[in-house]
Amino acid sequence: MNLRIFFLALGMVASGMNSLVVAGLLPEIARALGTTEAAVGVSVSVLAFTYALTAPFIPIAFARFSRRTIAIGAMIIFLIGVVLSAFAWDIWSFYAARAIVALGTAAYTAQAIAAAIEISPPDRKGAAAAWVSMGFAVSMALGVPVGTLLGEAFGYRVAFLLTATIAAVTLLGLVFMRLSVRAARSTLRLQFRPLATVPVLAVMLFTLLYSVSFFIVLTYMFPILELAAEADATMVASALALFGICNVLSMAVGGRLIDRFGSLAVILICVLVMSIATPLLGAPIGTVGAFVAVAAFGLTGSLVGPSTNVLLGRMHPTNPATLVGANMSAVQLGAAAGAAVGAILLTGSGANWIAFTAGFAALLSAVTCGGILIVQKVRRPGEAVTGEVAA
């Protein structure tokens, strides 16, 4: 991993930590802002929907700028939003700050992943995408727990300021690194065209289904494990730590698998494992069984994202950030849908149905992926995937 990939990944650590740390600090933020925990929880939706609505269009609107310029601008916006989040004076200013953070995150994530793919040799693109994406896994495994502990000990503002510090270091790295990749010049019509093609829409559908499955389990891990293994808070914390460690491990080695066997093959294997592991969490499988299922879920679920981004980058080589941004929007929409479906199921049917529903969504995503793989195999060699034409 070269220094450029390191700083691109460090920005992902900051964005992932900032997105997730609110969950561990809800009561304290609510007390400080004089509102309810539910109101603070809405800020997660504000961030997710702002991200989902803007991510596909930012790479298109700023396609004439270099990746480095866009990434620097995005990190400045992100840094401003995080600092405003730390010093918000009421819930509405907090919402506004989270929306600013979402804009910065949406702009940075697509550019960072696209840049990593573009600056890497053909046989290392999967590894580069995985290393950058691993920043989010590291934030989940280490950054969020550390931030939450600091927030509880010294106040929630310290947790946000820690994120701001990581973002500032990333910004310095971006300023001094050489990252001059620029999207190919083309019209807005040509930039939008790949988003309306059948292969790309199929990948977006896959991402949506996969994200529903992934985030149902991740959001409702506590009630799922409580039913599957009579888990207490300590066991859930241990399971989440195991999940984070498995995320990091899969990212560390998964990039090589992508480069060796191809994105679609890796995706298909991962979602097939998920479609088996997630329903098991809805059965009384005991402590050992639960940890095995969580480990399998962590090892495979986190590898789907970089695999899909590499696939989309090859579909639209003139500006891969366009499709990566759209794909990240599909992830956010899937996360929001998964959380909502899980809440309905938890209220009406019980935690076991959450796991079964997640398994069904994973199976549907596997079917979608299999269909894409079959179409790709029968496609004539050299035929354009996205239907792009030369400018």
Side-chain angles (χ1 to χ4, degrees):
M1 181 174 67
N2 63 44
L3 195 60
R4 292 182 294 177
I5 299 295
F6 171 79
F7 278 106
L8 291 172
L10 189 63
M12 295 290 283
V13 173
S15 62
M17 184 174 175
N18 174 78
S19 300
L20 298 169
V21 75
V22 171
L25 298 171
L26 279 179
E28 187 177 348
I29 296 174
R31 285 193 299 269
L33 299 181
T35 188
T36 64
E37 293 182 24
V40 176
V42 171
S43 69
V44 177
S45 297
V46 171
L47 191 150
F49 280 112
T50 303
Y51 187 120
L53 291 174
T54 59
F57 306 108
I58 292 175
I60 294 173
F62 296 96
R64 65 190 184 93
F65 296 99
S66 69
R67 300 258 181 259
R68 176 176 172 272
T69 300
I70 301 173
I72 289 173
M75 193 51 60
I76 291 173
I77 293 171
F78 175 82
L79 188 55
I80 292 171
V82 174
V83 173
L84 289 176
S85 299
F87 296 104
W89 53 92
D90 60 18
I91 190 61
W92 295 106
S93 61
F94 190 70
Y95 288 160
R98 304 313 286 165
I100 294 172
V101 166
L103 287 173
T105 303
Y108 179 81
T109 301
Q111 298 301 325
I113 295 173
I117 293 172
E118 288 173 333
I119 65 178
S120 302
D123 61 340
R124 295 290 295 167
K125 293 184 182 297
W131 276 111
V132 173
S133 300
M134 192 168 71
F136 193 85
V138 169
S139 72
M140 184 182 297
L142 299 175
V144 173
V146 170
T148 302
L149 290 174
L150 287 175
E152 291 177 349
F154 303 105
Y156 77 91
R157 290 181 175 85
V158 172
F160 282 118
L161 293 177
L162 174 62
T163 305
T165 301
I166 298 173
V169 174
T170 301
L171 181 59
L172 287 175
L174 293 172
V175 168
F176 290 105
M177 77 166 54
R178 186 168 175 263
L179 192 69
S180 57
V181 180
R182 187 187 304 270
R185 290 184 176 276
S186 63
T187 64
L188 286 178
R189 181 167 171 266
L190 286 176
Q191 287 293 315
F192 273 107
R193 179 178 293 177
L195 295 174
T197 59
V198 173
V200 171
L201 291 175
V203 174
M204 298 299 166
L205 174 61
F206 160 79
T207 296
L208 183 66
L209 291 169
Y210 148 77
S211 298
V212 169
S213 174
F214 185 82
F215 285 100
I216 284 180
V217 175
L218 190 59
T219 304
Y220 298 98
M221 185 73 78
F222 198 120
I224 288 173
L225 290 179
E226 192 175 35
L227 184 65
E230 298 181 354
D232 56 12
T234 301
M235 179 181 168
V236 173
S238 300
L240 287 173
L242 175 64
F243 173 80
I245 292 170
C246 289
N247 266 274
V248 174
L249 290 175
S250 68
M251 294 289 187
V253 301
R256 296 180 182 180
L257 297 177
I258 297 171
D259 293 324
R260 176 75 180 276
F261 300 105
S263 301
L264 278 173
V266 172
I267 292 170
L268 184 58
I269 292 172
C270 286
V271 293
L272 284 174
V273 173
M274 284 179 61
S275 66
I276 296 172
T278 48
L280 285 177
L281 288 169
I285 55 178
T287 302
V288 175
F291 275 105
V292 171
V294 168
F297 178 71
L299 286 170
T300 56
S302 58
L303 193 55
V304 173
S307 303
T308 308
N309 288 327
V310 171
L311 174 65
L312 290 171
R314 288 169 176 159
M315 284 183 168
H316 190 21
T318 57
N319 188 8
T322 301
L323 297 189
V324 171
N327 193 53
M328 299 308 293
S329 289
V331 170
Q332 294 293 327
L333 292 174
V341 170
I344 294 171
L345 291 172
L346 185 62
T347 302
S349 305
N352 57 336
W353 284 99
I354 297 178
F356 296 149
T357 302
F360 181 67
L363 185 60
L364 287 179
S365 70
V367 171
T368 304
C369 179
I372 298 170
L373 185 59
I374 292 172
V375 171
Q376 187 186 65
K377 291 295 184 182
V378 300
R379 186 179 294 275
R380 294 190 305 271
E383 186 177 348
V385 177
T386 59
E388 284 188 79
V389 296

